[in-house]
Amino acid sequence: MHEFPTGLSYDEALAIVDEVAAAHRLDTESLALPRCHGRVLAQDVDAPLALPPFDNSAMDGYAFRHADLAGQGDGLRLAGVQFAGAALALALDAGQCLRITTGAALPAGADTVAIKENVRLDGERVRIPADTVPGANVRYAGEDVRVGDRVLHAGQALTPARVSLAASLGLPSLRVARRPTVAVFTTGDELVEPGLPLGPGQIHDSNRDLLMGLLRADGLEPTAWPRLPDDPRQVEIALRDAACAFDLILTCGAVSAGEKDHVPAVLAQFGRTHFWKVRMKPGMPLLFGSLDQARFLGLPGNPVSVMATYLTFGRALIDGLQGRSEPRPRWRARLADAVDKTHPRREFIRARLSAGEDGSLYADPNPATGSHRLRAAADSNALIVIGEGPQRLAAGAVVEVLPY
Ligand code: AMP
Ligand code: MG
């Protein structure tokens, strides 16, 4: 266990998360395509077909042989119609054209398509604009994908476009990583469910919805457990119970040094602590370990700590467990306002992103400090990441941002 008074560096902690996740990779399953969205692919995909599978028309128009254009006189003779999906296998003779729809196979003998709106019709005659270039409006077999091309890779996240690519290749299912089952716990004697009145000293449990929402936005189907009181025995029983049934346990609160913060001791006694405390602000008391068959991430209780630790370590753990090797997109923005950081920890600052007229993305830091201030988080849509060490950054400086 790594527990230093000052905590691990962010990078050291992240390396431990990656290492533990890799050692506990979830198994894979074959899923029907419609269920693959958002999953991590666990196989490479080599194209069994070419795309497009055959030469076809990119437009509704008239297919013809470009060599006939010079001698078209009062037009090419309309010899028939080729619709998309119809296996007519029509062929063109010299001086002829065929009406064709978008996606229809190019008839034998044709090499060019003139757009419907650009031709002049005169009975059986079709006048093609003389400046139509050879091969215009033709989509060639294999121009997108050739047979055998490796088009998808294990470790990639399945975006709608990738699932759609698999569909166009005719694949009915894909092998993907099993999605981790996640148990979510909030802790604290002061917490009351929304809908119930507050007694003295009580607040509503807001982190549950925060965490459930963050997890769902990442494609997971988390299970919220009843809130845990600050009682060591009840914390122990509930967490050990969940640990036999879930891949991942996420708790929030009760991981700092307070007398009622029982979670680290329970983890140390009944499981394994991989690290406790990371030099970040907010989120410093982050706790990571293993309990029974589950990985365990204890997030600090303040709402903004939950966001900062989830978007960094929570996501890294979830991605690692599923074998995602494709890095998440990284975003940079220019500070809309100066930031002066005097402490040595990595800091996460709420900010609002907007597109500047100059083409830059701007991050406007929210002046609210205090990781309990949820309204500032609600008014924002990203966290600015300020690296370790004191940093005086002027407006316009480029910083990493985590949109949420
Ligand atoms: P703790 O780490 O348990 O001391 O919690 C730190 C701060 O976050 C305290 O002010 C708690 O009241 C608050 N907090 C903890 N859990 C929640 C929650 N689920 N919803 C809202 N606030 C919370
Ligand atoms: Mg607490």
Side-chain angles (χ1 to χ4, degrees):
M1 150 155 156
H2 305 264
E3 187 203 340
F4 306 115
T6 51
L8 293 184
S9 79
Y10 179 87
D11 289 337
E12 286 166 334
L14 203 54
I16 293 173
V17 167
D18 288 344
E19 192 189 308
V20 170
H24 293 91
R25 280 273 284 277
L26 296 168
D27 45 1
T28 64
E29 58 190 342
S30 177
L31 283 190
L33 223 44
R35 303 184 65 199
C36 289
H37 291 279
R39 294 300 194 97
V40 175
L41 191 59
Q43 64 166 105
D44 294 328
V45 174
D46 296 338
L49 306 173
L51 294 178
F54 49 87
D55 293 348
N56 67 94
S57 177
M59 299 295 281
D60 294 325
Y62 294 84
F64 64 100
R65 188 178 323 195
H66 194 267
D68 292 349
L69 200 52
Q72 71 171 318
D74 56 352
L76 300 175
R77 203 177 63 74
L78 185 59
V81 187
Q82 175 73 67
F83 291 122
L88 284 179
L90 292 175
L92 276 187
D93 284 333
Q96 291 185 335
C97 67
L98 285 173
R99 215 163 81 224
I100 193 164
T101 58
T102 306
L106 204 66
D111 56 17
T112 305
V113 173
I115 298 171
K116 190 176 178 182
E117 291 81 350
N118 294 348
V119 306
R120 244 185 41 224
L121 293 181
D122 182 9
E124 291 282 88
R125 294 278 162 188
V126 181
R127 281 283 289 277
I128 309 281
D131 59 357
T132 307
V133 297
N137 304 307
V138 175
R139 308 191 285 209
Y140 293 102
E143 70 177 14
D144 193 14
V145 173
R146 285 161 308 177
V147 175
D149 280 355
R150 179 147 299 176
V151 290
L152 296 174
H153 300 263
Q156 285 181 326
L158 287 170
T159 59
R162 287 173 177 162
V163 175
S164 159
L165 178 61
S168 72
L169 292 171
L171 304 175
S173 61
L174 289 170
R175 186 149 284 279
V176 297
R178 194 163 64 68
R179 195 159 39 193
T181 53
V182 188
V184 169
F185 288 92
T186 53
T187 68
D189 287 337
E190 74 279 31
L191 301 181
V192 173
E193 305 289 324
L196 294 177
L198 294 179
Q202 294 183 322
I203 59 169
H204 288 119
D205 182 349
S206 55
N207 284 348
R208 174 185 292 173
D209 287 298
L210 178 59
L211 204 41
M212 295 294 281
L214 289 166
L215 288 159
R216 287 200 179 111
D218 280 346
L220 296 158
E221 290 169 2
T223 305
W225 281 54
R227 176 189 58 80
L228 287 175
D230 290 319
D231 172 82
R233 189 82 179 111
Q234 294 201 51
V235 169
E236 176 209 322
I237 289 168
L239 294 184
R240 292 177 75 188
D241 195 7
C244 1
F246 288 81
D247 300 310
L248 177 58
I249 296 178
L250 286 183
T251 63
C252 64
V255 289
S256 318
E259 282 153 71
K260 294 279 186 180
D261 295 341
H262 300 298
V263 172
V266 166
L267 183 65
Q269 190 180 348
F270 299 100
R272 239 188 101 197
T273 306
H274 303 307
F275 66 72
W276 184 20
K277 294 181 187 151
V278 179
R279 294 198 293 272
M280 63 192 284
K281 181 182 185 251
M284 166 91 165
L286 180 67
L287 174 69
F288 177 47
S290 296
L291 184 63
D292 201 311
Q293 59 139 55
R295 280 346 92 202
F296 186 100
L297 202 57
L299 313 184
N302 275 309
V304 184
S305 310
V306 170
M307 295 181 59
T309 51
Y310 176 78
L311 292 174
T312 51
F313 293 96
R315 253 194 196 158
L317 179 55
I318 286 161
D319 288 349
L321 289 172
Q322 295 175 91
R324 176 172 171 152
S325 53
E326 176 180 48
R328 292 204 173 244
R330 293 184 70 173
W331 300 93
R332 289 179 200 284
R334 290 187 185 282
L335 286 176
D337 227 331
V339 169
D340 191 5
K341 174 166 87 77
T342 51
H343 62 80
R345 289 186 273 160
R346 177 176 290 232
E347 180 156 11
F348 297 81
I349 301 171
R350 283 148 287 186
R352 183 139 199 102
L353 294 177
S354 60
E357 293 294 333
D358 60 359
S360 290
L361 189 61
Y362 281 89
D364 196 4
N366 192 296
T369 52
S371 54
H372 60 292
R373 293 180 66 170
L374 201 43
R375 178 182 177 176
D379 287 343
S380 303
N381 57 12
L383 296 178
I384 294 173
V385 186
I386 308 287
E388 281 77 7
Q391 299 213 22
R392 174 165 287 192
L393 299 173
V398 175
V399 289
E400 187 184 343
V401 290
L402 296 171
Y404 63 79

